[in-house]
Amino acid sequence: DGGASALDEVVRRLTEALDLITFFTASDKETRAWTLRQGQTAFDAAGTIHSDIARGFIRCEVIRWNDLLECGSHAEAARRALQRLEGKTYVVEDGDVLNIRFNV
């Protein structure tokens, strides 16, 4: 039926109108999608997840979602040098997978 594609189109247009992007957190057990406004930083992303993570932000590992899927794991992505370390001023891009390192 066309309902799913119509809903997808409404969500896509609203996301664009609100200037939102989607980033992900992924582990062996769980993958979650989060939203941020276009232009927000890794520090902002950390705060979206939890204020304690933002407070203790050290740095984050970043990989593109498609690269992670192709590699199959964070370890393989790192081996292929597709995963990089970024600081709190890194501007998160739509489709980034973040592993935020923090200490509280």
Side-chain angles (χ1 to χ4, degrees):
D1 80 343
S5 62
L7 179 59
D8 290 344
E9 182 64 15
V10 168
V11 169
R12 186 188 67 75
R13 287 183 186 221
L14 282 171
T15 299
E16 285 178 6
L18 294 172
D19 209 19
L20 298 175
I21 63 164
T22 301
F23 74 95
F24 302 92
T25 54
S27 68
D28 293 338
K29 298 179 185 203
E30 177 183 56
T31 299
R32 292 207 45 193
W34 308 84
T35 56
L36 278 179
R37 290 217 182 269
Q38 185 85 30
Q40 287 191 294
T41 65
F43 182 78
D44 297 319
T48 297
I49 298 166
H50 197 282
S51 60
D52 286 346
I53 296 174
R55 187 166 31 95
F57 187 101
I58 298 170
R59 62 181 169 259
C60 68
E61 298 167 350
V62 180
I63 183 172
R64 301 291 304 152
W65 177 251
N66 291 340
D67 290 339
L68 181 58
L69 287 179
E70 182 182 313
C71 292
S73 71
H74 286 279
E76 180 62 18
R79 190 187 71 71
R80 294 184 192 181
L82 295 173
Q83 187 167 278
R84 63 191 188 281
L85 290 176
E86 297 287 354
K88 60 174 67 174
T89 61
Y90 169 72
V91 176
V92 179
E93 295 182 21
D94 191 54
D96 280 349
V97 179
L98 304 181
N99 179 24
I100 300 170
R101 297 181 182 180
F102 67 101
N103 185 17
V104 286

